[in-house]
């Protein structure tokens, strides 16, 4: 998760500096960083209920990041190779977190 969030930071550096690039860059930074931070919080919880809650928030933020990256791909913002790399990694992380949540339930 930390590597994903860090790669998003690098990706956002490549986005255009005008309004739309800033908007989508800010949104992507927030959702990617939030997913990593919430999953980190999940690691420190004392109950399965709290863990599931934090992990579910992380999953929601990851899905938001996925939509944002798909929009960036459609408008061809940033480096295409980095977007593809991020989307591939993101799909793997989403599957892992979803599986963890199902297992905890």
């Amino acid at each position: 998760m930390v590597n994903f969030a860090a790669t998003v930071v690098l990706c956002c550096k490549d986005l255009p500096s005008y309004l739309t690039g800033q908007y989508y860059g800010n949104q992507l930074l927030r959702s990617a960083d939030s997913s990593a931070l919430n999953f980190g919080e999940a690691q420190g919880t004392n109950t399965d209920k709290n863990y599931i809650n934090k992990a579910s928030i992380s999953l929601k933020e990851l899905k938001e990041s996925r939509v944002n990256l798909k929009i960036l791909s459609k408008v061809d913002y940033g480096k295409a190779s980095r977007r593809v790399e991020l989307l591939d990694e993101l799909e793997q992380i989403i599957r892992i977190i979803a599986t963890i949540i199902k297992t905890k339930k």
Side-chain angles (χ1 to χ4, degrees), residues 11-23 25 72 76-78:
C11 177
C12 289
K13 285 183 172 184
D14 297 331
L15 298 177
S17 61
Y18 43 89
L19 180 64
T20 54
Q22 288 179 1
Y23 175 79
L72 291 173
D76 197 29
Y77 277 7

Side-chain angles (χ1 to χ4, degrees), residues 19-98:
L19 180 64
T20 54
Q22 288 179 1
Y23 175 79
Y24 286 105
N26 287 335
Q27 288 296 112
L28 181 57
L29 281 171
R30 285 187 186 106
S31 60
D33 290 347
S34 177
S35 66
L37 295 171
N38 276 293
F39 194 73
E41 284 187 38
Q43 304 302 309
T45 59
N46 295 326
T47 67
D48 283 349
K49 182 178 178 181
N50 286 339
Y51 185 95
I52 291 167
N53 180 52
K54 288 295 181 182
S56 295
I57 293 169
S58 180
L59 183 60
K60 179 186 91 55
E61 296 292 341
L62 288 166
K63 289 178 178 180
E64 181 180 329
S65 296
R66 177 174 56 192
V67 171
N68 198 315
L69 282 167
K70 287 181 177 183
I71 292 169
L72 291 173
S73 292
K74 290 283 186 188
V75 297
D76 197 29
Y77 277 7
K79 292 183 180 175
S81 60
R82 188 166 278 155
R83 287 191 319 264
V84 169
E85 173 190 336
L86 279 170
L87 278 168
D88 288 344
E89 183 178 357
L90 184 54
E91 292 300 334
Q92 293 174 31
I93 294 170
I94 287 172
R95 283 193 297 275
I96 291 167
I97 302 299

